[in-house]
Amino acid sequence: MAQPAAAPTLRAMRAVAPGQWALRDPGSPEAARNSCIADTAMLFRLKLRAAPCSRFVIEDTPRIATVHYTCPGSGHVRTTIHVDTPRALRIESEGIVDGMPFADAYEARRLGACGGRGR
């Protein structure tokens, strides 16, 4: 059964801290995009951040978490996060947003606390 999006922290994410994160497409020559992440659960919803969603936990281990979000009227997202270290993550996300399919992969590195320039 789907749970509210504010459900308890997943085991894989317990050591992962909020803060300034650099997100980079693996293998891309483009610079990383920095984001201030106040709640690490939002790393599962890099798309559909503002939409009200329910979630279903598919996998919850100490190093890997997979969650499926259903956001009525906006779409759905299935994200797997591999926790290499509490400061280094691999994020794979796919789904449909506003009727358009997507598949994204990111390398995420925690840079430190959020500063005045966070997004």
Side-chain angles (χ1 to χ4, degrees):
M1 195 153 220
Q3 302 172 7
T9 303
L10 298 165
R11 289 188 292 168
M13 301 301 287
R14 287 185 184 153
V16 177
Q20 190 77 18
W21 284 84
L23 302 172
R24 184 176 171 279
D25 185 2
S28 172
E30 294 183 26
R33 151 184 120 199
N34 293 347
S35 292
C36 180
I37 305 291
D39 178 358
T40 59
M42 295 313 289
L43 291 166
F44 287 93
R45 291 178 50 198
L46 294 171
K47 304 249 191 227
L48 298 172
R49 282 186 181 189
C53 304
S54 62
R55 81 176 192 171
F56 179 78
V57 176
I58 296 168
E59 182 175 14
D60 183 16
T61 71
R63 309 257 313 163
I64 299 172
T66 302
V67 180
H68 185 274
Y69 286 90
T70 301
C71 312
S74 298
H76 60 88
V77 177
R78 177 185 168 143
T79 301
T80 298
I81 295 182
H82 302 263
V83 179
D84 295 328
T85 73
R87 299 177 65 88
L89 313 173
R90 288 176 287 131
I91 303 170
E92 300 162 354
S93 188
E94 63 181 29
I96 296 177
V97 175
D98 296 327
M100 299 297 296
F102 75 92
D104 295 329
Y106 300 101
E107 293 173 344
R109 301 239 181 256
R110 188 171 186 279
L111 303 174
C114 289
R117 295 177 297 180
R119 294 186 252 157

